[in-house]
Structure formats: structure tokens, C-alpha cells
Amino acid sequence: MQLTVWTYEGPPHVGAMRVATAMKNLHYVLHAPQGDTYADLLFTMIERRPERPPVTYTTFQARDLGGDTAALFKTAAAEAYERFRPQAMLGGASCTAELIQDDPGGLAKALGLPIPVIPLELPAYQRKENWGASETFYHLVRALAGPMAPAPGSPPPARTPSPRPRCNLLGPTALGFRHRDDVREVTRLLDRLGVDVHVVAPLGATPADLARLGEADLNVVLYPEIAALTARWLERAFGQPTVTTVPIGVGATRRFIEEVANLTGADPVPALSDTDDRLPWYSRSVDSNYLTGKRVFIFGDATHAIAAARIANQELGFEVVGLGSYSREQARDVREAAKAYGVDALITDDYLDVEAKVTELEPELVLGTQMERHIAKRLGIACAVISSPVHVEDFPARYAPQMGFEGANVIFDTWVHPLMMGLEEHLLGMFRDDFEFADDAAPSHLGQTSRIVEDLAAPAAHADAQDSLPAWAPDAEAELGKVPFFVRGKARRNTERYAREQGVATITVETLYDAKAHFGR
């Protein structure tokens, strides 16, 4: 472990809390010292949940270390069952309690409670939050759906006939980046395909729902960091195929629809044609030319970082100059994706490494977590948040998915607007000294006389001024033509001003560049 001001992931027991908090009728008994209850605030303050997580802490103190801390855990577990009467219970330890080696999972099973008790062994000093969530979900599904699985070597169980194919949506948790809205958007997509959602898990599921996962015809993995391990087990145990395309971006959403259609025999046309996606329209528009080729640096969890790089490169015409992730378990996938853009993947959980890379690359847009937002703000670079960890403002009350066609619209707004505002600020700064931007320059509806009006009333003065301008050599005029049109006028005026100040009668290419260096100081 490493002491740090910021961290991309918490310890693995926070991942277990994300699963437990997402579910219903499940309780987590956590062996933890007084003070580790800080984790509740992640859900109540950042995610703005109306209730605290379903977690009972033993909250042992220093004076308890000389006694039987195992007895504290057993008492807490028994009392939690009597109070909450859950369908199932998790037992585990926080990173601090792991040091006293009380085996809380084993202690919970030894209580003989009349419900399934799933022990969790999460090595806090080797692993982190997403891995903890993945392991917790996997062990829950194995414990609850496992008894319904056929014996090894037996054919998959016969499924109850249904008028429409059924799928499970796997991976959304509490404290996930836009997970709630992604589930809603993907459910709409599947409905257009004629596919029903059987169980969404962990988010909103009960332990009884997990026991029914094997009844579905296929599984859709929305977040591989959380659900890929579980989906592989379900495929082995129940013969369920897995949809692996994550529908983030227009292209990926279309591939997702086609993959589901191939597995279910559904007609993809209704889902592909009934869309209101605005991102492709923008990419074909003249306005997009202002942003084509913008240099972008991307960092986040593996799923969102890989998807963001693909959207940036293929759908918005940006240049990916950096790609990285803190998801070490998916580092191979990130490295493979980075090769396609000719960059080396940055795999790290140290935000200082990320800051150094952003500073080195000097991108025009940063797509990352809340840490990259702080880094970009400090460096004066446009930024959009694409991945956890995030702060409270990235759990909006409005509908704001990342997946599906509506998710592509949200991405379009979120990414393009910071760049357009940056362009606007750049142009305002560039033209701030021009006479058109002076406070008394433009005519006002209040009737104030502008300098333009006064100048128009004195054509002779204009003629005299034109006569005093230096001449432009043909090669200098041609070089000026290479300057973008929206700054060409300023470049001309600055060069002529410099030539007059230096007593130059004819402006050459050297004069043009001398003026650029002079005013660029």
C-alpha cells in the first residue's frame, strides 16, 4: 500500500461494499476498527443515496485488541441477522482488521445462521477496489446460483419457454460511473431488439435473483472489471453465451446490437434505425472541422478508457496522444488498444505519474477521472470526466448514460463543449486588443457614438492612413495567406504596425516573422 493524497481505487472491501450496497436483502458484516466507517460517506455523500449501506461494522478499538476480537465479530454478525433478516450475508474484514487475522468469513459461517453466508477473503495489501467487487460478485453468484447448475459434463438445463429471448445484465454496482442510467439505456436497446432483461445484477438484485441467473438465454457484460469473471463461470456452468461488446459510442452500440441479434436470432433493423444519435451528424458537419485533429490524452478504468480512445479517434477525428489506466487486471487490453494509436500505454495508480505525462504531452483535451480534472485545470487544459473515481457532480439527477445512442449524445456534449469553450476563450484572448473589442468600439443600441462611426465620418483620415502603410512584397503576401482566416487580419495589422515602428518601407517574409516574434513575447 502507498500513502497518497488521492487514490484511484479504495481497498477491496470498498469494492465488496459497492456490491452489497447495490443489492437488496443482502447484508455485509465487516470486521473493522473504529474509523473505517468512513466508507459510508462514499455512498451517502458522493452518490447521494438516501440510505446508508447495508453494512454492520464491528468497530473494535485499541483496548479490544487485548481481548477476543473474534467474539466481537460473532456477536455483531448474530445481531445483524436478528435486526435485518437478510436473504444472505457477507462476512469479511477491512484492510486494517486483516492484520489481526480473525477469519471473519469463517466465523460467520460457523454461526449456523439459517441463510447463506458467503465468506470473503480479500487481500487488501495486494489488490484493490474493482478486484474486490469482482471477487465479491463472483463468490455470491457461485454460492447462490451454483446449486442450480447441472453437474459437470451434463448438458445445460432446459430453460422455461419464453416468447422472447432473455438476458442478464451483469456488472452495474453502487458508486459506479453512470451505471444506473446505462442499465436503463441498454434495457431500451434490448427491448427494441425483442430481448427481455431477466436479471440486472448486482444493481437492484436480491440473493434470490442471483439464484435465477442460470434461467436466462445469454449474459451481457456491461463492465468487465466487475462481471467478466462471473460471466465466464456462468458460461461454463449453464452454457450461456456472453455478449462482450460494451456499447459505448455509436460504432460500439451498433456492434453490440448486431452481436445480440446474432446470438438470439433477433432482427437488428428496428434497433439500428430507431435512433436519435447526434454525434454522427456533428462529425459530418462543417463545425467539426474546428476540432479535427485535436490532441487528446485519456486515462481511467480500462472499459471507459479503451472506449473513449476509440470514440475520440474514429468518431470525432481526434488524435490520441496518450492512453492509460489504473486497472492493472486489464492492463493487457489497454496496451493492445494503445498500439492501435501508436502510443505506449500508461499503467499506474499514481496520479503524479499521470500529471507528469500530461505535462509532457501538452494535449488540448484530457479525458479522465476527477484526478485528471484537477490536473487539467491546473495546467489550463480542457477536460471531461469519463470514468470513476468521480465526485458528486458526476452523479447527476438528470438522465445521463454513457452507453447506447443516447450515451453517445451525452459524450458528444461532455467532450465537445469544453473544447468549444476553449476555442472561444482562445479567440477572445487573441482579438482582445483589436479595436473591434474595445469598450467604445461597437455601436450600441443605447445610442453611444463609436469610434467606427467617427472613423467613417472622416474618410480623408482613412486615405491618409492608407497612404502611410508599408508596402507588402509578393512573397510576404503569399506567406500571410497561410495564416488561418480568423486571425489573418490581426496578423496583417500587427505586421504593418511593427513595420511602421521599425521604419520598414516594404514588408518581407522576414519582417512578417520578426513581427510575429515581437508580438508573441
Side-chain angles (χ1 to χ4, degrees):
M1 294 185 73
Q2 177 182 353
L3 292 177
T4 181
V5 177
W6 291 334
T7 181
Y8 288 100
E9 295 183 90
H13 75 266
V14 172
M17 285 184 65
R18 287 177 55 188
V19 173
T21 305
M23 293 182 62
K24 301 174 182 176
N25 295 327
L26 176 72
H27 201 78
Y28 184 21
V29 181
L30 185 61
H31 203 22
Q34 190 176 38
D36 273 6
T37 54
Y38 76 90
D40 278 11
L41 300 178
L42 298 174
F43 302 91
T44 57
M45 292 183 65
I46 295 179
E47 195 176 12
R48 298 189 280 205
R49 297 182 70 87
E51 66 280 328
R52 64 176 298 273
V55 180
T56 293
Y57 300 88
T58 57
T59 58
F60 60 82
Q61 301 178 51
R63 63 173 177 266
D64 297 316
L65 296 178
D68 189 358
T69 52
L72 286 176
F73 180 86
K74 289 188 287 185
T75 301
E79 291 177 351
Y81 171 74
E82 290 298 327
R83 179 181 177 186
F84 298 106
R85 295 285 174 169
Q87 293 179 7
M89 185 177 287
L90 296 168
S94 73
C95 50
T96 313
E98 183 184 331
L99 297 173
I100 60 177
Q101 299 181 336
D102 275 340
D103 186 21
L107 293 172
K109 287 186 71 72
L111 289 175
L113 298 176
I115 58 170
V117 177
I118 295 91
L120 297 178
E121 295 183 7
L122 306 176
Y125 297 93
Q126 290 82 38
R127 300 289 188 168
K128 293 200 171 184
E129 180 181 324
N130 279 340
W131 181 89
S134 175
E135 284 291 304
T136 301
F137 186 42
Y138 169 70
H139 286 293
L140 271 168
V141 171
R142 285 207 61 165
L144 299 170
M148 285 68 179
S154 302
R159 295 183 173 86
T160 306
S162 173
R164 305 205 320 173
R166 295 167 298 180
C167 75
N168 300 314
L169 298 186
L170 304 180
T173 69
L175 210 65
F177 184 63
R178 310 291 171 82
H179 287 194
R180 174 200 66 188
D181 296 344
D182 285 347
V183 167
R184 181 175 160 190
E185 181 65 19
V186 172
T187 300
R188 285 172 46 186
L189 274 179
L190 292 168
D191 183 61
R192 291 178 193 154
L193 275 166
V195 177
D196 291 331
V197 173
H198 181 58
V199 172
V200 177
L203 188 64
T206 65
D209 291 330
L210 297 189
R212 300 188 297 111
L213 286 172
E215 299 172 5
D217 299 297
L218 68 157
N219 294 308
V220 172
V221 174
L222 297 182
Y223 309 101
E225 288 88 350
I226 308 299
L229 177 63
T230 299
R232 288 195 294 270
W233 180 82
L234 288 169
E235 188 166 358
R236 292 194 304 270
F238 293 96
Q240 296 168 323
T242 301
V243 177
T244 56
T245 301
V246 179
I248 301 179
V250 174
T253 298
R254 290 173 177 162
R255 288 193 297 274
F256 170 83
I257 291 171
E258 291 165 356
E259 186 175 355
V260 173
N262 289 335
L263 290 175
T264 61
D267 180 8
V269 173
L272 289 171
S273 58
D274 184 18
T275 68
D276 187 26
D277 48 329
R278 304 287 288 168
L279 193 153
W281 162 83
Y282 175 79
S283 297
R284 293 191 299 267
S285 72
V286 174
D287 287 349
S288 69
N289 293 334
Y290 294 116
L291 303 181
T292 300
K294 288 292 184 182
R295 303 171 72 257
V296 58
F297 175 87
I298 301 165
F299 193 88
D301 68 50
T303 295
H304 288 93
I306 292 171
R310 184 179 59 248
I311 296 167
N313 178 261
Q314 299 178 10
E315 299 180 19
L316 285 169
F318 296 163
E319 179 188 356
V320 177
V321 297
L323 175 62
S325 177
Y326 56 82
S327 302
R328 293 187 179 277
E329 289 79 15
Q330 285 77 38
R332 180 178 299 175
D333 296 335
V334 179
R335 290 192 176 99
E336 284 298 316
K339 288 179 183 177
Y341 312 109
V343 299
D344 294 326
L346 176 64
I347 308 299
T348 182
D349 57 4
D350 189 335
Y351 66 92
L352 295 176
D353 292 341
V354 180
E355 181 171 12
K357 196 66 175 178
V358 173
T359 304
E360 172 195 338
L361 294 173
E362 296 182 341
E364 292 155 297
L365 176 66
V366 172
L367 303 174
T369 72
Q370 69 173 359
M371 266 79 95
E372 282 66 53
R373 175 167 52 196
H374 293 308
I375 290 168
K377 184 177 180 180
R378 207 161 44 241
L379 297 174
I381 302 172
C383 181
V385 174
I386 63 162
S387 162
S388 295
V390 295
H391 216 319
V392 62
E393 61 267 28
D394 289 303
F395 289 96
R398 70 187 186 282
Y399 182 57
Q402 296 289 285
M403 293 186 179
F405 293 117
E406 186 59 29
N409 292 339
V410 172
I411 288 171
F412 162 63
D413 286 340
T414 308
W415 297 12
V416 169
H417 288 177
L419 280 173
M420 296 303 290
M421 288 302 297
L423 178 62
E424 180 178 297
E425 291 173 4
H426 176 66
L427 291 176
L428 287 173
M430 185 179 296
F431 290 107
R432 186 167 288 121
D433 295 330
D434 281 17
F435 73 91
E436 295 95 335
F437 281 82
D439 292 339
D440 61 345
S444 169
H445 66 283
L446 298 177
Q448 296 172 342
T449 302
S450 72
R451 194 160 67 235
I452 294 175
V453 175
E454 293 172 357
D455 287 347
L456 290 174
H462 277 282
D464 292 340
Q466 290 293 331
D467 291 341
S468 65
L469 289 178
W472 283 77
D475 59 341
E477 193 77 53
E479 191 70 11
L480 181 66
K482 299 176 183 179
V483 177
F485 73 93
F486 54 86
V487 293
R488 194 176 301 149
K490 181 175 182 178
R492 179 184 289 277
R493 289 189 295 273
N494 283 346
T495 305
E496 289 170 347
R497 175 183 164 191
Y498 175 82
R500 285 197 304 270
E501 292 174 353
Q502 300 298 319
V504 175
T506 301
I507 295 173
T508 63
V509 173
E510 288 75 19
T511 311
L512 181 63
Y513 281 99
D514 287 344
K516 179 183 177 183
H518 175 78
F519 290 106
R521 288 182 301 183

